[in-house]
Amino acid sequence: MAKAPKLPVKQILDENGEFVKGAQVPEIPKEDLISLFKTILKVRVVDSRMFKMQRQGRIAFYMASYGEEATHVGAAYALKPQDWIFPQYREQGAAFVRGLSLQLFVNQLFGNSGDLNRGRQMPMHWGSRALNLVTVSSPLGTQIPQCAGTAYGMKIKKQDAVALTFFGEGTTSEGDFHAGLNFAGVYKAPAIFFCRNNGWAISTPIHRQTASENIAVKAVGYGIEGVRIDGNDLFAVIDSVRTARERALKGDGPTLIEALTYRLSSHSTSDDPSAYRSEDKDDGPWKLREPAIRLRKFLMKENLWSGKEEQDWEKTCEKELLDAIRVAENTPRAELDALFEDMYDDLPWNLKEQKNQLITFLKNEGKR
Amino acid sequence: MAKAPKLPVKQILDENGEFVKGAQVPEIPKEDLISLFKTILKVRVVDSRMFKMQRQGRIAFYMASYGEEATHVGAAYALKPQDWIFPQYREQGAAFVRGLSLQLFVNQLFGNSGDLNRGRQMPMHWGSRALNLVTVSSPLGTQIPQCAGTAYGMKIKKQDAVALTFFGEGTTSEGDFHAGLNFAGVYKAPAIFFCRNNGWAISTPIHRQTASENIAVKAVGYGIEGVRIDGNDLFAVIDSVRTARERALKGDGPTLIEALTYRLSSHSTSDDPSAYRSEDKDDGPWKLREPAIRLRKFLMKENLWSGKEEQDWEKTCEKELLDAIRVAENTPRAELDALFEDMYDDLPWNLKEQKNQLITFLKNEGKR
Amino acid sequence: MPVMNMIEAINNALHLAFERDSEVVAFGEDSGNYGGVFRATKGLQEKFGSDRCFDAPICEQGIAGFAFGLALYGLKPVAEIQFSDYMYPAFDQIVNEIAKSRYRSGGQYPVPMVIRTPYGGGINGGLYHSQSPEAFYTHAPGIKIVVPSDPYEAKGLLLASVKDPNPVLFFEPKKIYRSAKGEVPVDYYEIPLSKARIAREGTHVTLIGWGAIHHINMDAAKLAEKEGISVEVIDLRTLIPYDIETLDASVRKTGRCVIVHEAPRTSGFGAELSATLHERNILQLQAPVQRITGWDTHYPFSFDYEYYPNPKRVLWAIKQTLEF
Amino acid sequence: MPVMNMIEAINNALHLAFERDSEVVAFGEDSGNYGGVFRATKGLQEKFGSDRCFDAPICEQGIAGFAFGLALYGLKPVAEIQFSDYMYPAFDQIVNEIAKSRYRSGGQYPVPMVIRTPYGGGINGGLYHSQSPEAFYTHAPGIKIVVPSDPYEAKGLLLASVKDPNPVLFFEPKKIYRSAKGEVPVDYYEIPLSKARIAREGTHVTLIGWGAIHHINMDAAKLAEKEGISVEVIDLRTLIPYDIETLDASVRKTGRCVIVHEAPRTSGFGAELSATLHERNILQLQAPVQRITGWDTHYPFSFDYEYYPNPKRVLWAIKQTLEF
Ligand SMILES: Cc1ncc(C[n+]2csc(CCOP(=O)(O)OP(=O)(O)O)c2C)c(N)n1
Ligand SMILES: Cc1ncc(C[n+]2csc(CCOP(=O)(O)OP(=O)(O)O)c2C)c(N)n1
Ligand SMILES: [Mg+2]
Ligand SMILES: [Mg+2]
């Protein structure tokens, strides 16, 4: 009988902001802890503002990560700059930790000429080559075998680097999940598969996604390490990614991390969760468990943080954000060239002809 | 730490033809045992003759199943006629158990007008709607989610039936494997996933296919039952499929069966195993473990079989086969209609035009 | 007759199909409890139970393969792929399996089934929520391809697709899911597949399109009329097998033809139509068949206006054709 | 100069690519220890180690995705898909990811890589070992598509593909893997992509093909010559982006054109070429461009002769074109 191995959920900082008895607390400098907490708050400021912006029709779309911030903020922090990150989409905190400026982030939402993607993608498709932050792509799961490939590249080039990919629990159903973990397992690629198990994939709860006892046990099928952690505990997240990174670099192969968390926000601005779940029954308990509460408690107890500081910081973020939005709204959209370029390294004849055709048409219409 | 659960390899009849101590021996009427052994021998006669036929250029291609016969013969026997079988390709014994005549089997190899597929597929793509034997399709793994779908259909139609699919261990790497087992797990479909782990996928040994400890543990990732059996032990095969069938019909969901066996033959007539494995070191031990040896010993000890009977039976098979070949070789190939029909339920205009074009051309060429 | 939008008409069609035939089942990502992200399957689970309308794991290759298995066993699956941009993981199941099962088995194992999927641009969806990938599938004989252009059409064509003994890909123009409204009978009716519709008669030029583009074409025809140009507008409806008779007749009548689609130009379905119409009617054609299409780029978020064919671009091509 | 068959030339090209650039890696099902089922990667693992040439699990979507990741990180993967019939599971990675990465990232993340795959019929391979699926990929802008027709071409085009800064699908005509033989320099050389080759000059009609079909076309041209017809035979070599100049010039010269491919007719790449050539050259064309293609069926095992375009069928089309 193929019983799933029991995998305890690792927690270091509990819901009350206390360290769990006997837990090995990872070393994190105090100023880093403060800065990580600030990043979590910053994500919230950005998320709630941008959600409103979408409602006002000023951006086309948005996806908040309310309740899940510790996963991406913590995981990105545990990595080194030479490590690559393959995001899904709901990991804006990782981008901020990596150093993506608010301006670039907001430019992407507007798809203006300051957008690194040259205005080509929907909002929430950030990325930066300079930061080893792979540009978000909508098709679910495609980044998983890609991450395995990059990790293998690091290995054969003997780099001191790993590749980490984020994905939701819903995405583990894709064939590409299977492909990526299996390849990484066979080649012992230094990859980290970080699953944000936030309970829902749009309207679909995890028990209709898979009959597996949990996500981490899926590691067994690939001969790789699998761990479960409290994804709302920043310490556990950092600890798990650090451990996975060390294993990977020692040549012990990839790790699948299942971070238990909850999507307190709607799936996206197009979604209405009230149609499929109950705010009281489903979301309720998780509101008490979200990652900022316990971290705030902890920092306050340690005298590293105060309500005043929080207000100030939120204001700072809000201001920086509003500035970025103002700049973005005043930045023209990308030049028409951006429509045709980057299909190849140069412009083949058909695109040259088509571009001319479009320009002629627009001129005729007085649009240019 | 996600340790794979230990899964013992179930054996009932050991290599010496003795029952393993303490093993629960499944009930199999003596005449059935004889008949199953005869089917195994028949598969061998057919395989070796057809292999030669290919070498003589009389058929285009062939795939033998030498050493693996107990898996498909046993699994098919353990099913009921209303159960569906989705083969991979190396399970000709299942076709014979189901009742596919040698004539139909050979007609398929020739692709003549007596072929149920109307001459459209390469050799080894048998199947029969009347026998609930789904026609073989070359793309690996595609049949796995299909089998899950059929099984779910049986469930919602409240039929007393299950669907079983065969596949090799190499095929477990495909995304479709993941898809099929996950869907079946979620819907508790009465499906049986029967993996012939014969050690090799063409030239690729299993340890380069997956880092998983074994195939059966992959069940854990789908919340379904997983078992390992000695695939060269007909009793263990029958027992495992019967148990899986009962579970499925009770509503306990699908089972992944890993049958450990070995491909003693080449992958196909196009393959040359000496380029990637050693006959002595790799194949050698398995030659002693192949399924007929122990079954013969057992039957002889029980006085159910003799060397004389074996010679006679092989002669009978050989004769029946040669007759079938003669008939097949004298059966004309399918009519030209077969080229254009069955694309749809009827012939759309483009196919009508194309058919006319071809007929006109052939007439001009004096070919018609 | 009630007025419905396209989603309502599709939903209504599904309800009728479920009522008439207990072997019809519907599933897809978020299709069950939620009724689909566009709510096309709304109410089915409530009314017919979760055996017949249910959520699928996020796995398009699984959805297609599972539907195949259901169809083999005699059920009639109507699977949903949430966006046609996400149908490619199912490409193998569609092209190698669904399209080929009847043929490869000598007719023993047909797989009558429907895959519904929203497609198309004009909605600020960028690369992955705007694609119009129908042409890929037109090169896979063995499946039928249907694209409705309004609520009435959607209902009748979907019901015919569900009844059809062949696998059908049903591409729904999500751009007009809510904006296209019209009177739709509440009762069951079918619109036969493989019959194009002459939506507007004309004499100077034939304008061919499908789905949301059909409306662009109708608008272009109106613009053209103001300039004294009489445009015959054809809604192709079924791409495979398409209605060659209606196309041939129209092109022979007008002597000129413009084909419009959203997908990139190269190897879009316009190519096949253009090649075939040239081959069959070159002596009647007074100008080469023109194509107005998406550009040979991906769908750029910020250039929706410049990418998506618009009535003026179509008019421009019509004039070029007339001035040739 | 040594005589090589096509597999040898490809193998030779890979050895040279591996020698010149240590970031080139090759992998695929059975590619490592065995050197591939057609032996195209023979000797690479022995010579360059199993880091650089290795076996992949049986998972085409994984192979394509893994190659993408390698390419992002600066390696130069040359992945093999064992048969092009089995490339569809990778369709999403190819069409949605590989083709789109450069564009969607604003040029930040190009993925230069090669996917090699044997394609085509004429070998009694039936539905799943005979397909010629190139046209599907021609509708996915962002990738290049190359099809060599003989050993010399294969080596030069493959080396150019490996050097190219864009993703390239390299379709190898397995029908002539061993039968096409010719002199091939042992040294490194490239044949530029997107340049067609006029393999035979002629004045009456232009005949366009690629891969194994090119030889059918050459044979047809010889048959035609006997009947006094002068055929210009073009080996297209690169399908995307193709060499429009050479095609236009030839068609304008001859005024007639026949396109030949193995794939089914509907939406095959012949459709795009035909449509484009009509659009651009209708006044110079004295007959409609004809297509000789596989039929709109799957590849039928027992009807290889009737399915695969043969020189006489091509000649027949040439004559029809001339008699038009
Ligand atoms: C291949 C593919 N199929 C479907 C979708 C549509 N889709 C977008 S997000 C989503 C749910 C993803 O759930 P999960 O992986 O759990 O991530 P979460 O949104 O919960 O963070 C779906 C179905 C898609 N983007 N890509
Ligand atoms: C999708 C797909 N990829 C590749 C192949 C080529 N191929 C045919 S058989 C085979 C090996 C299969 O190995 P396994 O599943 O272990 O079955 P076995 O042959 O050992 O019985 C491969 C790679 C295929 N038929 N389909
Ligand atoms: Mg989720
Ligand atoms: Mg095997």
Side-chain angles (χ1 to χ4, degrees):
Chain A
M1 170 70 180
K3 273 245 171 64
K6 285 282 158 255
L7 294 177
V9 178
K10 183 154 187 182
Q11 192 186 55
I12 295 172
L13 190 71
D14 72 15
E15 281 87 341
N16 301 315
E18 312 271 359
F19 286 126
V20 172
K21 253 199 215 91
Q24 270 261 1
V25 180
E27 270 193 51
I28 309 171
K30 295 200 167 138
E31 55 282 16
D32 286 7
L33 270 181
I34 297 169
S35 140
L36 290 169
F37 183 61
K38 284 165 90 174
T39 305
I40 290 176
L41 296 178
K42 179 167 153 180
V43 171
R44 290 206 178 160
V45 169
V46 174
D47 280 3
S48 68
R49 167 65 53 194
M50 287 306 164
F51 213 91
K52 279 182 220 134
M53 294 270 296
Q54 193 277 341
R55 290 292 182 254
Q56 295 163 355
R58 289 161 75 189
I59 57 173
F61 178 80
Y62 195 76
M63 299 179 105
S65 78
Y66 180 37
E68 303 180 47
E69 299 90 344
T71 60
H72 36 101
V73 167
Y77 169 75
L79 296 176
K80 299 258 187 288
Q82 70 270 29
D83 299 334
W84 282 42
I85 296 178
F86 289 75
Q88 178 155 301
Y89 44 65
R90 206 184 296 286
E91 299 94 7
Q92 40 271 48
F96 297 155
V97 170
R98 258 297 145 105
L100 190 75
S101 71
L102 261 189
Q103 191 63 60
L104 283 175
F105 182 78
V106 172
N107 285 348
Q108 199 286 312
L109 298 176
F110 281 88
N112 63 24
S113 58
D115 169 16
L116 293 174
N117 301 342
R118 306 186 69 187
R120 293 187 184 125
Q121 292 216 73
M122 272 179 81
M124 296 311 292
H125 288 65
W126 37 270
S128 159
R129 184 70 193 76
L131 301 174
N132 294 335
L133 199 57
V134 179
T135 305
V136 171
S137 146
S138 321
L140 292 171
T142 50
Q143 79 279 16
I144 304 175
Q146 293 169 4
C147 173
T150 291
Y152 179 75
M154 291 164 165
K155 177 177 169 177
I156 63 173
K157 288 179 104 171
K158 302 195 171 37
Q159 303 294 301
D160 175 38
V162 305
L164 176 145
T165 179
F166 291 105
F167 47 87
E169 86 296 339
T171 297
T172 64
S173 298
E174 288 284 7
D176 274 354
F177 168 84
H178 185 63
L181 273 68
N182 195 44
F183 275 63
V186 170
Y187 304 132
K188 278 195 185 294
I192 303 175
F193 300 105
F194 193 102
C195 178
R196 289 181 292 95
N197 177 356
N198 64 7
W200 295 86
I202 311 183
S203 76
T204 308
I206 182 166
H207 68 271
R208 284 206 300 275
Q209 196 62 246
T210 180
S212 178
E213 203 131 299
N214 54 59
I215 300 295
V217 291
K218 290 179 186 267
V220 160
Y222 309 106
I224 68 174
E225 180 59 297
V227 296
R228 302 186 85 200
I229 58 162
D230 179 343
N232 290 352
D233 168 6
L234 186 75
F235 287 84
V237 171
I238 293 171
D239 180 65
S240 70
V241 174
R242 280 187 182 164
T243 308
R245 190 175 189 278
E246 277 160 32
R247 279 192 90 244
L249 289 176
K250 266 201 310 200
D252 290 345
T255 301
L256 169 62
I257 298 171
E258 176 185 7
L260 287 158
T261 180
Y262 191 85
R263 194 195 78 212
L264 284 169
S265 64
S266 59
H267 171 73
S268 74
T269 48
S270 314
D271 179 44
D272 169 20
S274 73
Y276 55 79
R277 69 185 190 188
S278 138
E279 208 178 318
D280 269 17
K281 255 187 35 219
D282 295 310
D283 312 355
W286 286 95
K287 286 198 181 141
L288 310 172
R289 268 181 245 152
E290 61 88 347
I293 297 176
R294 70 183 81 172
L295 204 56
R296 183 183 295 111
K297 280 191 185 154
F298 172 79
L299 292 173
M300 286 185 167
K301 260 184 296 200
E302 302 273 315
N303 284 321
L304 297 168
W305 194 248
S306 69
K308 171 74 172 69
E309 279 169 294
E310 186 150 337
Q311 280 179 0
D312 289 351
W313 172 245
E314 283 175 350
K315 269 192 212 134
T316 309
C317 291
E318 188 76 28
K319 183 174 169 329
E320 198 196 334
L321 180 60
L322 290 175
D323 286 348
I325 292 170
R326 193 168 329 106
V327 171
E329 284 188 321
N330 291 316
T331 303
R333 73 172 185 158
E335 281 296 306
L336 200 62
D337 291 343
L339 203 171
F340 294 98
E341 286 173 4
D342 297 327
M343 289 301 300
Y344 298 93
D345 66 314
D346 61 4
L347 220 56
W349 67 269
N350 54 325
L351 287 176
K352 279 189 199 139
E353 288 191 3
Q354 292 174 22
K355 187 176 161 186
N356 284 339
Q357 215 184 89
L358 176 58
I359 288 173
T360 311
F361 169 74
L362 292 174
K363 278 198 185 131
N364 274 354
E365 293 299 305
K367 301 239 176 191
R368 231 181 123 85
Chain B
M1 170 71 179
K3 275 245 171 65
K6 286 281 159 255
L7 295 177
V9 178
K10 182 155 189 182
Q11 193 186 54
I12 295 172
L13 190 72
D14 72 14
E15 282 86 342
N16 301 315
E18 312 271 357
F19 286 126
V20 171
K21 254 198 215 93
Q24 271 260 2
V25 179
E27 271 193 51
I28 309 171
K30 294 200 165 141
E31 55 282 16
D32 286 7
L33 270 180
I34 297 168
S35 141
L36 290 169
F37 183 62
K38 284 165 91 174
T39 305
I40 289 178
L41 296 177
K42 178 167 155 182
V43 171
R44 289 206 178 160
V45 169
V46 172
D47 279 2
S48 68
R49 167 65 52 195
M50 286 306 164
F51 213 91
K52 279 182 219 135
M53 294 270 297
Q54 194 278 340
R55 289 294 183 252
Q56 296 164 353
R58 289 161 76 190
I59 58 173
F61 178 80
Y62 195 75
M63 300 179 105
S65 78
Y66 180 36
E68 302 179 48
E69 298 90 344
T71 59
H72 35 101
V73 167
Y77 169 74
L79 295 177
K80 299 257 188 289
Q82 70 270 30
D83 298 334
W84 281 43
I85 296 178
F86 289 75
Q88 178 156 302
Y89 45 63
R90 207 185 295 287
E91 299 93 6
Q92 40 271 48
F96 298 156
V97 171
R98 259 296 145 104
L100 191 75
S101 71
L102 261 189
Q103 191 62 60
L104 283 175
F105 181 78
V106 172
N107 286 348
Q108 199 286 313
L109 298 175
F110 281 88
N112 64 23
S113 57
D115 169 17
L116 292 175
N117 301 341
R118 305 187 68 186
R120 295 187 183 125
Q121 292 216 72
M122 273 179 81
M124 296 312 290
H125 289 65
W126 37 271
S128 159
R129 184 69 192 80
L131 301 174
N132 294 335
L133 199 57
V134 179
T135 304
V136 171
S137 145
S138 320
L140 292 170
T142 49
Q143 79 279 15
I144 304 175
Q146 293 169 5
C147 172
T150 292
Y152 180 76
M154 292 164 164
K155 178 177 169 177
I156 63 173
K157 288 178 104 170
K158 302 197 170 39
Q159 303 294 302
D160 175 38
V162 305
L164 176 146
T165 178
F166 291 106
F167 47 88
E169 86 296 339
T171 297
T172 64
S173 297
E174 289 284 7
D176 274 353
F177 167 83
H178 186 61
L181 273 67
N182 195 45
F183 274 62
V186 169
Y187 303 131
K188 280 196 185 291
I192 303 175
F193 299 105
F194 193 102
C195 177
R196 289 181 292 94
N197 177 356
N198 63 8
W200 296 86
I202 310 185
S203 75
T204 307
I206 183 167
H207 68 271
R208 284 207 298 277
Q209 195 64 245
T210 180
S212 178
E213 203 130 300
N214 54 60
I215 299 296
V217 291
K218 290 179 186 267
V220 161
Y222 309 106
I224 68 174
E225 180 59 296
V227 296
R228 301 186 85 200
I229 58 161
D230 179 343
N232 290 353
D233 168 6
L234 186 75
F235 287 83
V237 171
I238 292 171
D239 180 65
S240 71
V241 175
R242 280 187 182 165
T243 308
R245 189 175 190 280
E246 277 161 32
R247 278 193 91 243
L249 289 176
K250 265 201 312 201
D252 290 345
T255 301
L256 169 62
I257 298 170
E258 176 186 6
L260 287 158
T261 179
Y262 192 85
R263 193 195 78 211
L264 284 168
S265 63
S266 59
H267 171 72
S268 73
T269 47
S270 314
D271 180 44
D272 168 20
S274 73
Y276 55 78
R277 70 184 191 189
S278 138
E279 208 177 317
D280 268 18
K281 255 188 35 222
D282 295 310
D283 311 357
W286 286 95
K287 286 199 180 137
L288 310 173
R289 268 181 246 152
E290 60 88 348
I293 297 176
R294 70 184 81 172
L295 204 56
R296 182 183 298 110
K297 280 190 185 155
F298 172 79
L299 292 173
M300 286 184 167
K301 260 183 296 198
E302 302 274 315
N303 284 322
L304 297 169
W305 193 248
S306 70
K308 171 75 173 64
E309 278 169 296
E310 186 149 335
Q311 280 178 1
D312 288 351
W313 172 245
E314 282 175 351
K315 268 192 212 134
T316 309
C317 291
E318 189 76 29
K319 183 174 170 327
E320 196 197 335
L321 180 60
L322 291 176
D323 286 347
I325 292 172
R326 193 169 327 108
V327 171
E329 283 189 322
N330 291 318
T331 304
R333 73 173 182 155
E335 281 295 308
L336 200 62
D337 291 342
L339 202 172
F340 294 98
E341 287 173 3
D342 296 327
M343 289 300 300
Y344 297 93
D345 66 314
D346 61 5
L347 221 57
W349 65 269
N350 54 326
L351 287 175
K352 279 187 200 141
E353 289 191 2
Q354 293 175 20
K355 187 175 162 187
N356 284 339
Q357 216 183 87
L358 176 59
I359 288 173
T360 310
F361 169 75
L362 292 173
K363 278 195 186 134
N364 275 354
E365 293 299 304
K367 301 240 174 188
R368 230 183 122 86
Chain C
M1 253 195 290
V3 169
M4 296 186 195
N5 67 24
M6 194 167 246
I7 276 290
E8 289 161 347
I10 289 165
N11 183 255
N12 174 242
L14 290 172
H15 276 267
L16 289 174
F18 267 60
E19 272 163 22
R20 285 171 71 96
D21 180 355
S22 66
E23 313 235 300
V24 177
V25 299
F27 66 104
E29 293 158 19
D30 305 296
S31 293
N33 175 37
Y34 191 39
V37 294
F38 292 104
R39 322 310 294 274
T41 52
K42 202 174 138 186
L44 290 174
Q45 185 174 83
E46 234 176 294
K47 195 151 153 207
F48 301 98
S50 56
D51 270 5
R52 288 184 62 196
C53 177
F54 50 95
D55 292 323
I58 303 178
C59 183
E60 293 74 16
Q61 62 196 110
I63 291 172
F66 197 78
F68 181 112
L70 284 165
L72 274 198
Y73 201 63
L75 290 110
K76 186 80 197 205
V78 184
E80 175 177 303
I81 299 290
Q82 202 163 80
F83 287 86
S84 67
D85 315 60
Y86 304 136
M87 202 148 87
Y88 306 135
F91 202 75
D92 187 52
Q93 284 285 351
I94 295 171
V95 170
N96 260 346
E97 295 289 320
I98 293 169
K100 295 189 172 73
S101 182
R102 184 193 285 268
Y103 191 79
R104 75 181 176 209
S105 65
Q108 296 182 91
Y109 287 107
V111 279
M113 56 181 279
V114 178
I115 298 182
R116 295 178 37 251
T117 189
Y119 83 94
I123 56 152
N124 287 307
L127 279 83
Y128 296 111
H129 296 82
S130 306
Q131 294 178 46
S132 186
E134 68 280 3
F136 287 119
Y137 303 93
T138 63
H139 190 47
I143 42 183
K144 296 190 173 183
I145 300 175
V146 177
V147 192
S149 64
D150 72 26
Y152 176 84
E153 293 280 315
K155 178 172 171 181
L157 289 168
L158 182 52
L159 287 170
S161 299
V162 172
K163 269 268 284 294
D164 200 87
N166 303 287
V168 178
L169 300 188
F170 195 82
F171 287 94
E172 301 170 0
K174 64 178 177 300
K175 176 176 188 258
I176 54 170
Y177 257 166
R178 285 168 216 284
S179 64
K181 288 186 187 138
E183 295 198 330
V184 176
V186 285
D187 287 344
Y188 184 95
Y189 64 96
E190 291 176 20
I191 297 177
L193 304 191
S194 292
K195 278 300 302 164
R197 176 170 69 102
I198 299 181
R200 184 186 168 113
E201 296 200 15
T203 53
H204 295 149
V205 58
T206 301
L207 190 55
I208 305 173
W210 51 89
I213 284 294
H214 174 64
H215 300 272
I216 305 292
N217 286 353
M218 290 298 279
D219 288 347
K222 276 175 222 148
L223 293 178
E225 189 175 36
K226 286 194 200 132
E227 309 199 18
I229 306 167
S230 163
V231 182
E232 178 141 308
V233 184
I234 298 183
D235 176 7
L236 193 58
R237 285 172 163 169
T238 299
L239 274 60
I240 299 284
Y242 64 95
D243 179 357
I244 187 67
E245 274 178 44
T246 298
L247 300 192
D248 273 348
S250 177
V251 167
R252 281 175 201 159
K253 180 174 82 173
T254 63
R256 300 177 196 268
C257 179
V258 174
I259 302 162
V260 188
H261 59 65
E262 306 182 21
R265 179 183 189 81
T266 297
S267 293
F269 195 55
E272 177 58 37
L273 293 176
S274 167
T276 298
L277 291 174
H278 278 119
E279 284 160 11
R280 301 166 76 93
N281 307 298
I282 196 135
L283 295 179
Q284 290 91 342
L285 277 169
Q286 290 163 49
V289 176
Q290 292 286 341
R291 290 180 281 167
I292 289 293
T293 67
W295 312 113
D296 281 331
T297 69
H298 309 303
Y299 205 107
F301 174 71
S302 296
F303 298 99
D304 216 303
Y305 173 78
E306 289 81 0
Y307 193 89
Y308 199 85
N310 62 46
K312 290 202 178 154
R313 248 171 77 201
V314 175
L315 177 65
W316 189 65
I318 288 173
K319 285 193 202 162
Q320 287 221 321
T321 304
L322 284 164
E323 286 157 19
F324 185 82
Chain D
M1 255 195 290
V3 169
M4 296 186 194
N5 68 24
M6 194 168 248
I7 275 290
E8 288 161 349
I10 288 165
N11 184 256
N12 175 242
L14 290 172
H15 275 268
L16 290 174
F18 266 59
E19 271 163 23
R20 286 171 70 96
D21 181 354
S22 66
E23 313 235 299
V24 178
V25 299
F27 65 103
E29 293 158 20
D30 304 296
S31 294
N33 175 39
Y34 190 39
V37 295
F38 292 105
R39 322 309 295 272
T41 53
K42 201 173 139 186
L44 290 174
Q45 185 175 81
E46 235 176 293
K47 196 151 154 206
F48 301 97
S50 58
D51 269 5
R52 288 184 62 198
C53 178
F54 50 95
D55 292 322
I58 302 178
C59 183
E60 294 73 17
Q61 63 196 109
I63 291 172
F66 197 78
F68 181 111
L70 285 164
L72 274 197
Y73 201 64
L75 290 111
K76 187 79 198 205
V78 183
E80 175 177 303
I81 298 290
Q82 200 162 79
F83 287 85
S84 67
D85 315 61
Y86 304 136
M87 202 148 88
Y88 306 133
F91 201 75
D92 187 51
Q93 284 285 351
I94 294 171
V95 169
N96 261 346
E97 294 289 321
I98 293 168
K100 294 189 172 73
S101 183
R102 184 193 283 269
Y103 191 80
R104 74 181 176 209
S105 65
Q108 297 182 89
Y109 286 107
V111 279
M113 56 180 279
V114 178
I115 299 181
R116 297 178 36 252
T117 190
Y119 83 94
I123 56 153
N124 285 310
L127 279 84
Y128 297 111
H129 296 83
S130 306
Q131 293 177 46
S132 187
E134 69 281 1
F136 287 119
Y137 303 93
T138 63
H139 190 47
I143 44 183
K144 296 190 173 182
I145 300 174
V146 176
V147 193
S149 63
D150 71 28
Y152 177 84
E153 293 281 314
K155 177 172 171 182
L157 289 168
L158 182 52
L159 286 170
S161 299
V162 172
K163 268 270 281 297
D164 201 86
N166 303 287
V168 179
L169 300 188
F170 194 83
F171 286 93
E172 302 170 358
K174 64 178 178 299
K175 174 175 188 257
I176 54 171
Y177 257 167
R178 286 167 216 285
S179 64
K181 287 187 187 138
E183 293 198 333
V184 177
V186 284
D187 287 344
Y188 184 95
Y189 65 95
E190 292 175 19
I191 297 176
L193 303 190
S194 293
K195 280 298 302 163
R197 177 171 67 103
I198 299 180
R200 182 185 171 115
E201 295 199 16
T203 52
H204 295 149
V205 58
T206 300
L207 190 55
I208 304 172
W210 51 89
I213 285 293
H214 175 63
H215 300 273
I216 304 292
N217 286 353
M218 290 298 279
D219 289 348
K222 276 175 223 147
L223 293 179
E225 189 175 35
K226 287 195 199 130
E227 309 199 17
I229 305 168
S230 164
V231 181
E232 177 141 309
V233 184
I234 299 183
D235 176 6
L236 192 58
R237 285 173 162 168
T238 299
L239 272 60
I240 298 285
Y242 64 95
D243 180 356
I244 186 69
E245 276 177 44
T246 299
L247 300 192
D248 274 348
S250 178
V251 167
R252 282 175 201 159
K253 181 175 80 174
T254 62
R256 300 176 196 269
C257 179
V258 175
I259 302 162
V260 189
H261 60 66
E262 306 182 20
R265 179 184 189 82
T266 297
S267 292
F269 195 54
E272 177 58 37
L273 293 176
S274 167
T276 298
L277 291 173
H278 279 117
E279 283 161 13
R280 301 166 77 95
N281 306 298
I282 196 137
L283 295 180
Q284 290 91 343
L285 278 169
Q286 289 163 51
V289 176
Q290 292 285 342
R291 291 179 281 167
I292 289 294
T293 67
W295 312 114
D296 282 330
T297 68
H298 309 304
Y299 205 107
F301 174 71
S302 297
F303 297 99
D304 216 304
Y305 173 78
E306 288 81 1
Y307 193 88
Y308 199 84
N310 63 46
K312 289 202 178 154
R313 245 172 80 201
V314 175
L315 178 64
W316 189 65
I318 288 174
K319 286 194 201 160
Q320 287 222 320
T321 304
L322 284 164
E323 286 157 18
F324 185 83

